[in-house]
Amino acid sequence: MIETNVSRHHETFLQVVQSYYQLTKPRIIPLLLITTAGSMWIAAKGEVDPLLLLVTLTGGTLAAASAQTINCVYDRDIDYDMERTRHRPMPSGKVQPRDALIFAIALATISFTLLAVFANLLAALLAFSGIVFYILVYTHWLKRHSTQNIVIGGAAGAIPALVGWAAVTGTLSWSAWLIFAIVFLWTPPHFWALALMIRDDYAKVGIPMLPVIEGDTATVRQIWYYTLITVVATLLLVYPLGVSGILYAAIALILGGLFIHKSWRLLQNPEDRTVAKELFLYSISYMMVLCLGMVVDSLPVTHNLINAVINHLHFIG
């Protein structure tokens, strides 16, 4: 412990900033923000107030950063034992638990205040509920005790979609809950593909991820089922809800077809880590492009262009 403290004293200010930045697991946050943005654009029918967008994305970033920081504090014991996480700021001793908790509380406070003042109270409460759910339900209750940790815990990662909708409308509609459901259903195939790749790490520290407890074949079967349901759910925005149009439908069908194809390949080769990695990486692109499709489809200019094309085709006909 003395050596750890000494090493911390010799860090430069930039290294300290970098350590706290790494606590927030910044690579995860962009995915949360793109789902927030997609939800906001649909809710605003393509005309999002730039200031509201900035405030909501900033508030969401700070809320997610707070949750991830507390997660790092809670999981510092297993992070030390897992090869891929051993060099994170907590297990490496670069940041002390008390300092990390103060940092997380500050982030959560700023997030709540920002959203409550410049968006609305519902958006602020939803963002805060995401922090609480991620820490208490996923990190504390499920992660170390249930193979369904990712399934139920996935709700925390889907809450940003609700935050985005609430920030624009001040309410939650069926469309908001459907976008929430899309992210919720997408999470198991996304994360279980990763879990297949690092199953031995999870087994080493006793985390009951599905591949560790049930094996590769059972996990891949679940990935297949969830992929199919996810793709179907994405199309419900077009019908019966009618909040997205033909461009989004085309994007969702193409992306969904590729998602199903890659899941099918994994279903045929459950132990192939290369195929699992391909599916994991594709699942990230899938969600990002799908949400981008929500944004582009909602724009008035897109509607005008599609209507012009349809009218032109009618005129020719």
Side-chain angles (χ1 to χ4, degrees):
M1 183 61 69
I2 294 175
E3 292 178 359
T4 298
N5 288 333
V6 170
S7 68
R8 289 175 70 239
H9 287 311
H10 282 82
E11 286 184 335
T12 65
F13 176 74
L14 186 60
Q15 288 174 321
V16 173
V17 170
Q18 186 177 24
S19 291
Y20 278 91
Y21 176 70
Q22 289 172 349
L23 277 179
T24 67
K25 300 182 185 178
R27 288 187 298 177
I28 296 174
I29 294 176
L31 263 178
L32 304 178
L33 296 183
I34 192 67
T35 60
T36 306
S39 184
M40 290 184 75
W41 251 280
I42 292 179
K45 295 180 173 56
E47 298 181 299
V48 179
D49 177 79
L51 179 59
L52 181 62
L53 177 66
L54 178 62
V55 166
T56 306
L57 294 184
T58 302
T61 297
L62 296 175
S66 174
Q68 297 296 347
T69 299
I70 298 173
N71 174 266
C72 284
V73 175
Y74 193 94
D75 281 348
R76 63 189 185 278
D77 57 334
I78 60 174
D79 280 350
Y80 181 80
D81 291 330
M82 293 175 66
E83 185 61 37
R84 77 183 182 97
T85 56
R86 184 170 298 166
H87 302 292
R88 285 176 176 173
M90 293 298 301
S92 64
K94 293 177 182 178
V95 179
Q96 296 303 303
R98 184 196 64 179
D99 298 335
L101 281 175
I102 293 171
F103 177 59
I105 292 169
L107 291 173
T109 302
I110 297 170
S111 169
F112 186 90
T113 304
L114 198 62
L115 289 170
V117 172
F118 294 100
N120 54 63
L121 184 60
L122 178 59
L125 289 171
L126 284 167
F128 185 74
S129 74
I131 299 174
V132 174
F133 191 94
Y134 187 76
I135 299 306
L136 294 184
V137 178
Y138 171 66
T139 303
H140 175 68
W141 177 37
L142 293 171
K143 184 175 181 179
R144 306 191 190 204
H145 302 101
S146 172
T147 57
Q148 295 300 300
N149 46 19
I150 288 305
V151 178
I152 302 171
I159 286 176
L162 299 181
V163 174
W165 194 282
V168 172
T169 67
T171 61
L172 293 176
S173 68
W174 284 112
S175 299
W177 286 108
L178 177 57
I179 300 172
F180 170 92
I182 290 168
V183 181
F184 178 82
L185 293 167
W186 162 88
T187 301
H190 163 69
F191 201 94
W192 279 334
L194 172 64
L196 286 169
M197 294 157 50
I198 57 174
R199 182 185 64 181
D200 293 344
D201 258 2
Y202 283 124
K204 180 180 178 182
V205 295
I207 298 297
M209 288 295 174
L210 193 62
V212 176
I213 305 301
E214 301 291 339
D216 292 354
T217 301
T219 301
V220 168
R221 193 179 300 117
Q222 289 296 311
I223 288 175
W224 170 247
Y225 295 149
Y226 272 100
T227 300
L228 293 176
I229 298 169
T230 300
V231 173
V232 171
T234 62
L235 299 175
L236 299 181
L237 285 172
V238 182
Y239 182 84
L241 293 184
V243 293
S244 293
I246 188 170
L247 177 63
Y248 167 79
I251 292 171
L253 282 170
I254 293 169
L255 292 173
L258 288 170
F259 203 4
I260 290 171
H261 171 69
K262 291 182 180 298
S263 292
W264 175 256
R265 284 186 60 213
L266 186 59
L267 188 65
Q268 305 309 305
N269 305 278
E271 298 181 359
D272 192 326
R273 295 294 178 264
T274 301
V275 178
K277 184 177 182 180
E278 286 180 9
L279 178 61
F280 170 70
L281 293 175
Y282 176 75
S283 69
I284 298 172
S285 301
Y286 171 84
M287 183 53 65
M288 296 188 78
V289 178
L290 185 74
C291 290
L292 182 61
M294 295 179 190
V295 171
V296 176
D297 180 86
S298 71
L299 297 174
V301 65
T302 303
H303 292 181
N304 294 337
L305 184 60
I306 291 174
N307 287 335
V309 171
I310 292 173
N311 290 334
H312 181 68
L313 291 175
H314 278 309
F315 178 77
I316 294 175

